Amino acid sequence: MDVPEVIPDWRSKGFWLPEGTFPLDAKPSLFGGLFTWPLLVLRRDAAEANIATMAAYARRHGWEFAPHAKTTMAPGLLARQLDAGAWGLTVATPNQALVLRKLGVPRVLIANEVLDPTALRWLAGPDEIWFQVDSVAGVAAAARAGGRLRVLVELGHDHGRTGVRTLGELEEVARAVAAAPGLELAGLTAYEGQLRSEREVDDFLDQVVAGFVRLRDAGLLPERPILSAGGSAWFDRVVARIDVDALLLLRSGASVTHDDGFYRERTPFLRVPGEGPLAAALDLWAQVISTPEPGLALAGMGKRDAPFDEGLPVPMEIRRPDGTSAPATGLEVTKLNDHHTYLSIGDARLEPGDLVRFGISHPCTAFDKWRHIPVVDADRRVVDVLATCF
C-alpha cells in the first residue's frame, strides 16, 4: 500500500506552524510549542497493540480480517492493519473505495448497496472490489453499468439498517443477481451491530447461517463464497455462531483505536477477557479558557473537534502549566457547543490555562474532524503524523 507523505502546515488544526514545516525528525514534545489546543492525538503503542490483538483474534478463530477503513481513513493506520495480515479493507461509500484503490489497497469491500451509475461504471473496471445488494432494483442498477461486478446479497433484521428482512427476499435478490448479465454473486453479508442483546444477536446470526445454507443448497453461491459480518461490539458472537465453509470476513473497524466510552462499555473482550484486551488510543487535549462561576469550567473544545453522537468526551487527566499532572477526578462533561466544552468540576481545582486530556466515545466520528493527527510515544513525543482522507 502506498502511504502518501504527510506534510502538516498552517492549515492543519492543532499544529502551530505560522512559518516553515513540521520538524518530525526531531521528535518534538507535544507540549514544546509546536501545537495549540484543542488537539487530537493517537498513542502509538495502544494502536499497535490493538492492531496486533485483532489480527491474532481473527486468525485464532479461522476468520480473515477486513477492518472498516471508514473509522480512520488514515493511510498510515490502514497500512499497519494490512501489514498485520488484514485480507483487505471495508468502506462505506464508493468515494472511500476510490481513495483506497488510489492508495493501492488490494481488496476492498463496500458495505452498502451502490446505485449511482457513475460509481457503478467505475466499479465495473477494478478487480477485487465487492459491494452489497439488498433489492432487485439495486441488482438492475448494477446490471445497467455493464462490465463485471462482484456483489454480496445482504441480510438485515427488523428495525435495523439495510439488508433484506426475510430469507425469501434473500433468495429472490440472489436469483436476480444470478440472472443478470455481468454480475457475479460472491456471497452473503450482514451487520449485527445495532442489536442490543446477546440473544437478539445470536438469533440474527442463526438467520444469517440459515440464509447462507439456503443460497448454497439452491446452487446460487460460488465454490468459495464470502460470508461477512462483525462490527466492533459483537464480533465474539459472530465467530461463535457462524461456522460454514466460506471465506469468513470480520469487518470490525473501531477496534483499531477503541475508546473510553461507547466501546469501552461494549467491547466483546468484556465477555471473553482472555482473548483481549483493547486499549483506548485516542486523546483529545483542550485548554481551560474560563472558570466563570463555582463548579463550572469551560474548555476550548467543541463539536467541531470531538465526537458526541455516542457519548460525550471523558475527562482523564489535568496538566498544569508547570508540567505537573493530576487525575481528572470529579470532572464531568455536561454538554458541548461548537467550540466550548462545559465541565462540571465539583470541588476539583481547575484554572484557566490548565490542559485537560479527554478520552473520546466512538472513534468513527472523531477522525473526520482532523486533517492531521500527531502520533506520540510513551513520553508524549511526536514520532509520526497521520493524514486523513475524508
Side-chain angles (χ1 to χ4, degrees), residues 60-375:
R60 193 159 56 244
H61 290 277
W63 284 65
E64 296 286 353
F65 197 32
H68 215 315
K70 60 96 175 172
T71 297
T72 72
M73 289 302 289
L77 276 180
L78 302 180
R80 287 173 173 82
Q81 291 176 297
L82 290 169
D83 290 344
W87 171 90
L89 294 171
T90 302
V91 294
T93 68
N95 220 150
Q96 293 172 355
L98 174 60
V99 171
L100 264 57
R101 178 58 72 188
K102 289 295 186 181
L103 292 171
V105 176
R107 300 186 185 101
V108 180
L109 170 61
I110 303 174
N112 265 317
E113 188 163 58
V114 180
L115 296 122
D116 178 4
T118 299
L120 285 166
R121 284 192 292 272
W122 178 79
L123 287 169
D127 291 331
E128 297 201 291
I129 296 184
W130 295 258
F131 64 93
Q132 299 176 175
V133 290
D134 74 350
S135 66
V136 173
V139 173
R144 286 193 295 270
R148 177 171 173 264
L149 289 161
R150 301 176 179 184
V151 300
L152 301 106
V153 63
E154 183 189 11
L155 180 65
H157 57 80
D158 289 345
H159 312 297
R161 210 157 59 186
T162 54
V164 299
R165 297 320 202 221
T166 69
L167 298 191
E169 292 172 307
L170 185 76
E171 183 173 343
E172 178 188 7
V173 175
R175 289 191 180 278
V177 174
L183 300 192
E184 173 188 323
L185 181 60
L188 172 65
T189 185
Y191 176 62
E192 76 296 333
Q194 291 187 317
L195 294 167
R196 291 300 178 183
S197 72
E198 185 171 324
R199 173 47 53 200
E200 288 178 317
V201 171
D202 285 355
D203 288 347
F204 174 59
L205 295 174
D206 290 348
Q207 279 288 93
V208 173
V209 172
F212 178 89
V213 170
R214 179 166 175 161
L215 298 187
R216 182 198 64 195
D217 291 351
L220 293 168
L221 295 178
E223 182 177 350
R224 183 64 169 163
I226 292 171
L227 196 160
S228 175
S232 295
W234 296 105
F235 56 74
D236 63 318
R237 302 314 305 156
V238 170
V239 301
R241 304 297 287 198
I242 296 179
D243 182 14
V244 296
D245 184 13
L247 174 61
L248 302 172
L249 293 180
L250 278 179
R251 305 193 305 268
S252 312
S255 60
V256 66
T257 62
H258 196 48
D259 70 12
D260 285 301
F262 184 85
Y263 286 111
R264 180 187 64 187
E265 298 171 358
R266 292 166 175 81
T267 174
F269 293 137
L270 294 175
R271 293 183 292 273
V272 286
E275 302 248 36
L278 297 172
L282 288 176
D283 292 329
L284 255 172
W285 288 89
Q287 192 166 47
V288 177
I289 59 173
S290 181
T291 54
E293 61 188 62
L296 173 66
L298 280 298
M301 175 185 82
K303 294 178 181 179
R304 312 229 176 214
D305 315 301
F308 56 91
D309 58 309
E310 295 285 3
L312 296 173
V314 182
M316 306 296 289
E317 176 186 352
I318 301 168
R319 189 178 194 274
R320 311 292 183 190
D322 63 4
T324 59
S325 294
T329 305
L331 272 59
E332 181 184 1
V333 175
T334 59
K335 69 175 179 177
L336 301 180
N337 292 157
D338 287 354
H339 291 285
H340 294 86
T341 293
Y342 291 72
L343 283 162
S344 171
I345 64 175
D347 296 327
R349 181 173 70 88
L350 204 59
E351 299 177 357
D354 289 343
L355 290 173
V356 179
R357 177 174 65 87
F358 297 88
I360 62 98
S361 180
H362 196 205
C364 299
T365 51
F367 281 86
D368 60 300
K369 296 172 174 60
W370 297 85
R371 183 169 178 245
H372 291 120
I373 301 169
V375 180

Side-chain angles (χ1 to χ4, degrees), residues 28-31 285 317 325 357 376-382:
S29 168
L30 198 61
F31 311 106
W285 288 89
E317 176 186 352
S325 294
R357 177 174 65 87
V376 298
D377 64 14
D379 296 321
R380 292 174 173 165
R381 304 197 73 85
V382 178

